[in-house]
Amino acid sequence: MLRKLAAIILAASLSLPIVSAADAAPKKDFKICWSIYVGWMPWGYLSDSGIMKKWAEKNGINVEITRINDYVESINQYTAGGFDGCSMTNMDALSIPAGGGVDTTALIIGDFSNGNDAVILKDKAALADIAGQKVNLVELSVSHYLLARALDTVKLAEKDITVVNTSDADMVAAYGTSDVTSVVTWNPLVSEIVAMPGAQKVFDSSQIPGEIIDLMVVNTETLKDNPALGKALVGAWYEAMELMTSDTPEGKAAKEEMAKASGTDLAGFDAQLASTAMFFDPAKAVEFTNGTELPRTMDLVRNFLFSHGILGTNATSVDVVGMSFPDGSTLGDAKNVKLRFDPAFMAEAATATP
């Protein structure tokens, strides 16, 4: 739920020590971190159920999975080298580790938000009515990005509204006050707010499909030196995906455990999954990663980050951080590629014999 990016913490993260290629080497013990969000709940289940342990042992390694309640802190710790991999969005992967100089690979594209993030107005039914309003959101987060994309659709810009930085923890209470008339947030907060009197959802992430992407990323040099880590993580992940989609008592029990860990029940968890485009099938994840829309999306994301001053330290150009894609193409500085979309391990899972 805490998919937020605070500018002050981002600035701190960019000053953290960078994990260089020299720090990566073949090893047996690995640490992965994750935070609460519907699309990342399987990571906790993989640890608790023993599925991760099974796949780690199968590949001759040990993998410790740790839940960190503060999303930004999890990314900061990954960026500092405290973890070998971490769950994060595409936007935050570019701005924090990649922007901070840590070469990072998107190992698993787990899902994209397909309605989980939304713009909500009070007593107004049209997005254009947002003009002139104060908009409460977590500044410089995916909510801020969603707002910018929404404004584009009605020929408005950020200068036409006033952003009020509001913690996600305070969002529901803030909406309940008389002076707050518009918010942008994510589930489960969206579900709570739209149930309140006068609340109208006027734009959501289903209208920009494929742009807010949820990943498991790993340090590129660590993955290069230790392909067993990639095989173990991907193997465990897709076993969980298969279990979640199985019409079995075991599948239901697995989702109930995930729901409980995220603070809801099975019905609430299923409702959140309904607005999450999960790539349960690795072949679908590979197809998405290989698609022509991904570079376009990342171009939108990098321009948003650059325009808000959070694409790397003192960036003078939107091209300062390079990104690479499966077809060999790049965005930004091809000599400074720090974010890589590589479907190789997912593709191996897609062709594996059950």
Side-chain angles (χ1 to χ4, degrees):
M1 296 183 289
L2 296 176
R3 297 185 299 157
K4 60 185 180 179
L5 173 60
I8 187 169
I9 300 178
L10 169 61
S13 76
L14 296 180
S15 66
L16 291 169
I18 294 173
V19 181
S20 68
D23 297 314
K27 57 181 185 176
K28 293 292 184 181
D29 299 317
F30 301 91
K31 296 171 63 179
I32 304 298
C33 61
W34 69 284
S35 54
I36 293 289
Y37 174 65
V38 60
W40 295 326
M41 296 312 299
W43 290 111
Y45 179 78
L46 289 175
S47 178
D48 296 340
S49 66
I51 292 176
M52 186 71 257
K53 184 175 186 293
K54 179 185 73 175
W55 280 91
E57 290 178 347
K58 180 178 180 180
N59 286 277
I61 60 175
N62 300 306
V63 177
E64 178 184 346
I65 299 179
T66 301
R67 168 179 156 181
I68 297 180
N69 289 329
D70 188 308
Y71 171 60
V72 174
E73 180 59 22
S74 71
I75 303 176
N76 287 344
Q77 289 193 33
Y78 163 77
T79 303
F83 289 90
D84 301 293
C86 183
S87 61
M88 63 187 74
T89 68
N90 54 323
M91 181 174 120
D92 297 334
L94 178 59
S95 62
I96 303 183
V102 177
D103 198 328
T104 293
T105 294
L107 177 71
I108 298 171
I109 292 188
D111 70 86
F112 64 80
S113 176
N114 198 36
N116 268 331
D117 301 77
V119 180
I120 304 169
L121 301 186
K122 186 180 292 182
D123 299 321
K124 300 288 185 181
L127 175 58
D129 292 329
I130 202 170
Q133 292 197 34
K134 293 180 179 179
V135 183
N136 293 68
L137 52 75
V138 178
E139 195 170 13
L140 304 177
S141 69
V142 289
S143 292
H144 203 155
Y145 174 79
L146 181 73
L147 174 64
R149 294 287 286 121
L151 292 173
D152 284 343
T153 67
V154 288
K155 301 188 184 308
L156 293 174
E158 285 191 53
K159 64 180 177 59
D160 298 310
I161 54 92
T162 301
V163 169
V164 179
N165 189 26
T166 307
S167 168
D168 58 298
D170 300 328
M171 199 68 69
V172 175
Y175 186 82
T177 64
S178 59
D179 58 336
V180 173
T181 59
S182 58
V183 299
V184 188
T185 190
W186 51 75
N187 262 324
L189 306 181
V190 168
S191 297
E192 291 186 58
I193 293 173
V194 296
M196 298 170 72
Q200 296 286 333
K201 184 164 63 173
V202 296
F203 190 91
D204 67 35
S205 51
S206 68
Q207 293 165 263
I208 53 166
E211 293 190 23
I212 299 176
I213 310 169
D214 299 309
L215 315 169
M216 171 54 70
V217 308
V218 294
N219 180 283
T220 298
E221 290 300 323
T222 298
L223 182 62
K224 179 181 177 181
D225 291 342
N226 302 276
L229 174 61
K231 293 179 180 180
L233 291 176
V234 168
W237 177 261
Y238 286 111
E239 180 170 334
M241 295 300 99
E242 183 176 0
L243 184 60
M244 289 175 69
T245 54
S246 68
D247 186 16
T248 64
E250 293 79 9
K252 180 181 178 182
K255 290 202 295 179
E256 286 176 335
E257 287 298 314
M258 295 179 205
K260 181 179 179 181
S262 63
T264 187
D265 56 15
L266 181 57
F269 188 66
D270 280 338
Q272 292 179 42
L273 281 174
S275 54
T276 307
M278 294 291 295
F279 292 116
F280 292 109
D281 181 349
K284 296 294 185 182
V286 171
E287 181 181 2
F288 180 87
T289 310
N290 286 334
T292 58
E293 287 300 304
L294 182 58
R296 185 191 72 85
T297 292
M298 293 312 299
D299 191 35
L300 289 169
V301 168
R302 70 177 187 145
N303 275 285
F304 171 83
L305 294 172
F306 180 69
S307 68
H308 288 80
I310 51 175
L311 182 62
T313 305
N314 302 317
T316 58
S317 165
V318 73
D319 291 321
V320 66
V321 180
M323 292 177 277
S324 66
F325 301 93
D327 64 357
S329 64
T330 58
L331 276 177
D333 188 350
K335 296 181 180 179
N336 186 43
V337 172
K338 296 300 180 184
L339 181 58
R340 304 170 192 271
F341 291 91
D342 183 356
F345 288 90
M346 295 187 295
E348 185 175 335
T351 58
T353 301

